[in-house]
């Protein structure tokens, strides 16, 4: 039992020494792995932080965009409500003017001037009146132009018979032309003729009116009128012609 192999013992000792010598070299890869793992962990954390920051920034931008869109929508809604309120107020102002434009007011020169002044006050641009009563606005405008210009081109014969302070008027409108601007629904017309009489022994004049109703372009119609005057009538003439569509009240 005491006979042990010295050579074997020596080899075993040398093998152990070689293992002890190599042991430190096996520790180096572990450090590298740890360092690499730490770096990877740091990189991952940094990537996560960067991603979170990016997501937060995107969420903030999206939120701001949504708020901006909501503000724009609210602004558009408020602007629309304001416009509607203004339109309602303007309509309320214009409606009485539309109601006062009638065949009678359109045949009176003084009332026409008053209506023009009123319209400039309640609707300077005339945009709301055209929405509330477009046909009346058009007829009112046509009447002004016709009365000033085209009426003088109509062929009207006139006869006045004086009987003391009373005068009988008769006449005929031949081949009525009518306003060129009148639409097809306005061709049938009612006319009001203002007839001015010169009075005997004075420089005064007196006026009366004669009506021609339901006349179409190309037609001829007779008319009559009578008037009591403060003096004898010497001469008579048609001093103005007012036009209005027969079907527009």
């Amino acid at each position: 039992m005491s006979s042990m192999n010295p050579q074997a013992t020596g080899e075993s000792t040398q093998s152990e020494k070689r293992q002890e010598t190599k042991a430190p070299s096996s520790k180096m890869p572990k450090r590298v792995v740890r360092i690499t793992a730490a770096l990877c962990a740091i990189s991952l954390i940094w990537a996560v932080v960067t991603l979170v920051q990016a997501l937060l920034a995107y969420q903030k931008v999206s939120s701001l965009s949504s708020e901006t869109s909501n503000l724009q929508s609210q602004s558009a809604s408020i602007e629309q409500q304001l416009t509607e309120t203004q339109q309602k107020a303007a309509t309320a102002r214009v409606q009485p003017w539309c109601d006062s434009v009638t065949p009678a007011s359109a045949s009176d020169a003084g009332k026409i001037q008053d209506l023009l002044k009123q319209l400039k006050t309640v609707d300077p641009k005339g945009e709301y009146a055209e929405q509330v009563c477009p046909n009346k606005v058009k007829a009112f405008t046509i009447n002004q132009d016709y009365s000033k210009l085209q009426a003088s081109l109509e062929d009207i014969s006139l006869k006045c018979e004086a009987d003391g302070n009373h005068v009988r008027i008769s006449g005929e409108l031949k081949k009525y032309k009518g306003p060129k601007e009148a639409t097809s629904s306005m061709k049938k017309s009612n006319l009001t003729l203002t007839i001015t009489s010169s009075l005997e022994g004075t420089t005064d004049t007196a006026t009366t009116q004669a009506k021609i109703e339901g006349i179409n372009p190309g037609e001829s119609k007779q008319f009559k009128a009578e008037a009591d005057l403060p003096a004898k009538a010497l001469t008579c003439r048609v001093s103005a012609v007012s036009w209005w569509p027969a079907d527009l009240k």
Side-chain angles (χ1 to χ4, degrees):
M1 294 183 64
S2 60
S3 59
M4 294 181 63
N5 189 351
Q7 184 178 359
T9 302
E11 291 177 355
S12 175
T13 303
Q14 290 178 357
S15 176
E16 288 176 358
K17 288 181 179 180
R18 282 197 298 269
Q19 288 178 357
E20 288 178 1
T21 304
K22 291 180 179 180
S25 64
S26 65
K27 293 180 180 179
M28 291 302 293
K30 291 182 180 179
R31 291 179 182 176
V32 172
V33 169
R34 289 174 183 174
I35 293 172
T36 303
L39 290 174
C40 289
I42 292 171
S43 298
L44 180 61
I45 293 171
W46 178 258
V48 171
V49 171
T50 303
L51 179 61
V52 170
Q53 289 178 339
L55 289 173
L56 291 174
Y58 175 77
Q59 185 177 9
K60 185 176 181 180
V61 170
S62 298
S63 177
L64 290 174
S65 178
S66 177
E67 290 179 3
T68 301
S69 179
N70 289 335
L71 288 174
Q72 289 176 342
S73 178
Q74 291 175 5
S75 177
S77 177
I78 292 172
E79 186 176 352
Q80 182 179 357
Q81 291 176 3
L82 180 60
T83 300
E84 291 176 354
T85 301
Q86 291 174 339
Q87 288 179 341
K88 288 180 180 179
T91 298
R93 292 197 308 269
V94 167
Q95 188 63 58
W97 183 88
C98 290
D99 295 339
S100 58
V101 176
T102 63
S105 62
S107 65
D108 187 313
K111 289 182 179 178
I112 288 174
Q113 294 303 314
D114 289 340
L115 288 171
L116 284 172
K117 292 178 182 178
Q118 291 172 18
L119 183 60
K120 289 181 179 178
T121 300
V122 300
D123 188 14
K125 295 182 179 180
E127 55 185 332
Y128 296 108
E130 290 184 355
Q131 295 177 11
V132 178
C133 53
N135 289 337
K136 285 192 173 183
V137 171
K138 185 173 183 62
F140 188 76
T141 303
I142 290 175
N143 176 54
Q144 286 182 276
D145 296 338
Y146 177 80
S147 299
K148 291 177 181 178
L149 302 174
Q150 195 174 347
S152 62
L153 302 178
E154 300 288 357
D155 185 3
I156 303 174
S157 63
L158 182 66
K159 181 180 179 181
C160 295
E161 296 177 318
D163 182 11
N165 292 49
H166 185 78
V167 62
R168 288 185 293 272
I169 301 166
S170 60
E172 183 179 14
L173 171 58
K174 300 175 183 178
K175 295 183 178 179
Y176 169 61
K177 298 180 181 66
K180 296 178 181 178
E181 299 83 0
T183 61
S184 57
S185 62
M186 296 181 174
K187 293 296 184 183
K188 188 177 181 180
S189 311
N190 291 340
L191 302 178
T192 302
L193 282 61
T194 300
I195 300 169
T196 301
S197 303
S198 298
L199 304 181
E200 182 182 28
T202 72
T203 58
D204 297 335
T205 58
T207 60
T208 188
Q209 290 184 335
K211 303 287 186 179
I212 300 176
E213 296 184 345
I215 188 170
N216 291 297
E219 293 181 347
S220 298
K221 276 199 174 185
Q222 295 181 345
F223 59 89
K224 291 183 179 180
E226 294 188 8
D228 290 321
L229 305 178
K232 292 181 180 180
L234 291 176
T235 58
C236 299
R237 62 185 177 87
V238 177
S239 56
V241 180
S242 175
W243 169 91
W244 198 254
D247 298 325
L248 182 61
K249 305 303 180 185

